[in-house]
Amino acid sequence: MEKQDIKIGLPRALLYYRYRVLWRVFFQELGMETVVSPPTDRDILERGTALAIDEACLSLKIYLGHVAALAGQCDYILVPRVSNFGRHRSMCTRFESTPDLVRSVFRGPGQKFLSYEVDEEMKKKDEQDAFLEMGRTLGCSAKAAKRAYKTAKRAELAHHKERVQRYEQQYKKEGMKVLIAAHSYVAEDPFMGRTVSDYLKRVGVIPLRADMVDREAALKRSRELSPTCKWEVSREILGGVAMHKNDVDGIILLSAFPCGPDAMVNELIARRVKGVPMLNLVLDSQSGTAGVETRLESFIDIIRFKEGKL
Ligand code: SF4
C-alpha cells in the first residue's frame, strides 16, 4: 500500500486531547491521512458502555465508543501505550493496558490497530524511540520518521504554549473566575466537562483550566501540594492548582467515575488548599446536565454569598 493511501483513525477521547497535534502532524508529515471520530454523543457513549466492563471509568467507556465509531472506517486505529516518562512520572494504568484491552474487545480479522509504547523507566523507550518504531511499522525510513516526529513535537509544544498564553490572558479579566481541575479528556469532552464550562460561560463566569499551564513549571509546583504523587498528569494539575489558587474565586474538582488517581488527588487538594470555595463533581454516564447544572448553580451562589454579592 502506498503511504498516501494509508488512513489512520484517531479516537477522539483519552490521550487524543493531549496529543492530537503531535499525532496529526506526524502522520501528515509521513504523507498519510488521519480521520478523527466525531465528538462524543449519546450513541458513542452507549456503544462504549456496552463494550466495557461495569468497573471501567467513564473516560474509558467513551474511548471504546470512539474506537467502535472508527472501526471499518480506516486502515489502522491508533491505540498507544503510554506507561511513564521515567521514575515517579507514571501515567494512569489504563494507558498501559488500552492496546491489549482494545485488541481483545475488537478481536476478529477486520480492523487493524497501530500502537507505540513509551516506557522510559523499565524499557528505556522514550517518545521519540516509540515514534521511530511506529514509523518503521508503517514502512517509513528512520530518517523520515525522525524528521516527522521533530516537526510534530514542535507543533505540539507551540500549540500548548499558545493555549496556555490564551488562558493567562483570561486571569487578567474582570469578573468571577473558576478553576477546573480535571484531565483534559474530561474537561473537553462534550458529554463530560464541556457541559460544565459551557454552563459557567452562560452565567457569566470565566472557566479556567488547572492543566493549561507550563508543564515543567507545574511539575515543580506540584510538590507544594504533594511531594510524592507519581502520576504525571495529576502532578501537572496539582501544579496548576498551586500556581493559580489565589487568582480564582472557586475551584471545581471534576472527574469521571470511578477514577483512582482523581479520588486520591482531589481529596488531597480539598485538604491542602484552604480559603477557596471548592466543588467536587464526579460525572458518570447517568449524570444528566440538569443535575450538574443545579450543583453548579448552588456553587456559584455560595461564591457570590461569600464575596457579599448575594
Ligand atoms: S486517570 Fe481516571 S479517568 Fe483517566 S483513564 Fe485513569 S481512571 Fe480513567
Side-chain angles (χ1 to χ4, degrees):
M1 193 189 293
E2 294 295 324
K3 305 263 184 319
Q4 66 271 20
D5 296 331
I6 299 180
K7 199 194 269 188
I8 314 276
L10 308 177
R12 192 190 294 262
L14 293 180
L15 294 176
Y16 171 82
Y17 288 97
R18 189 178 178 90
Y19 293 124
R20 58 189 142 186
V21 176
L22 179 71
W23 294 343
R24 194 171 33 78
V25 177
F26 177 74
F27 293 119
Q28 239 168 35
E29 287 293 307
L30 292 174
M32 297 167 197
E33 193 188 335
T34 51
V35 52
V36 183
S37 53
T40 308
D41 57 15
R42 176 61 56 191
D43 182 50
I44 286 181
L45 172 63
E46 282 173 3
R47 285 168 87 180
T49 305
L51 291 164
I53 54 166
D54 288 346
E55 293 74 21
C57 67
L58 177 59
S59 309
L60 184 62
K61 288 176 179 166
I62 287 178
Y63 183 80
L64 292 176
H66 281 274
V67 175
L70 285 168
Q73 311 293 318
C74 46
D75 301 297
Y76 296 96
I77 298 176
L78 180 68
V79 187
R81 188 191 310 277
V82 184
S83 303
N84 62 73
F85 304 99
R87 201 155 170 267
H88 299 312
R89 296 189 62 187
S90 307
M91 293 295 274
C92 166
T93 48
R94 305 258 189 237
F95 298 118
E96 220 166 314
S97 57
T98 336
D100 304 318
L101 174 78
V102 167
R103 282 196 172 93
S104 150
V105 171
F106 296 87
R107 59 183 171 270
Q111 182 61 55
K112 284 194 274 186
F113 295 97
L114 178 68
S115 196
Y116 64 85
E117 180 175 21
V118 179
D119 180 353
E120 295 190 38
E121 189 179 7
M122 302 300 285
K123 299 188 179 168
K124 310 294 172 213
K125 277 165 85 175
D126 66 11
E127 192 180 76
Q128 178 171 297
D129 299 331
F131 272 67
L132 260 59
E133 206 171 297
M134 178 163 65
R136 254 199 314 277
T137 311
L138 292 166
C140 305
S141 69
K143 196 174 164 199
K146 191 170 180 178
R147 198 173 48 226
Y149 172 74
K150 296 267 185 208
T151 306
K153 196 66 193 172
R154 269 198 304 276
E156 183 213 11
L157 295 175
H159 177 251
H160 182 68
K161 192 172 172 188
E162 196 244 319
R163 290 188 81 191
V164 170
Q165 282 167 349
R166 262 192 278 138
Y167 273 95
E168 292 296 336
Q169 293 304 319
Q170 300 286 313
Y171 285 103
K172 294 180 189 150
K173 285 193 176 165
E174 290 293 319
M176 187 189 290
K177 299 174 197 78
V178 167
L179 185 67
I180 299 173
H183 291 261
S184 55
Y185 45 84
V186 174
E188 291 180 44
D189 188 278
F191 250 69
M192 294 195 278
R194 186 94 71 73
T195 54
V196 173
S197 47
D198 285 350
Y199 175 82
L200 294 176
K201 283 184 203 158
R202 266 205 317 278
V203 297
V205 175
I206 302 170
L208 293 149
R209 294 259 302 273
D211 60 327
M212 282 296 135
V213 284
D214 177 88
R215 288 177 180 151
E216 288 305 315
L219 290 178
K220 287 191 189 120
R221 293 288 304 268
S222 70
R223 295 197 189 99
E224 292 170 25
L225 294 175
S226 168
T228 52
C229 177
K230 65 168 191 157
W231 294 296
E232 181 84 351
V233 181
S234 300
R235 282 180 62 204
E236 290 171 5
I237 294 170
L238 281 168
V241 170
M243 285 156 111
H244 288 298
K245 62 184 191 301
N246 298 324
D247 305 327
V248 293
D249 302 278
I251 299 175
I252 297 175
L253 307 172
L254 183 66
S255 59
F257 181 82
C259 173
D262 282 2
M264 284 183 71
V265 169
N266 290 349
E267 179 65 27
L268 198 147
I269 296 175
R271 284 176 189 221
R272 300 208 171 151
V273 176
K274 299 290 176 202
V276 191
M278 223 174 270
L279 172 68
N280 193 359
L281 206 51
V282 183
L283 304 169
D284 62 28
S285 44
Q286 309 306 322
S287 353
T289 18
V292 169
E293 288 187 2
T294 307
R295 294 197 60 199
L296 289 169
E297 195 180 351
S298 329
F299 182 58
I300 302 303
D301 281 350
I302 289 168
I303 297 176
R304 289 200 175 115
F305 182 74
K306 189 173 167 275
E307 294 181 350
K309 292 175 187 159
L310 201 69

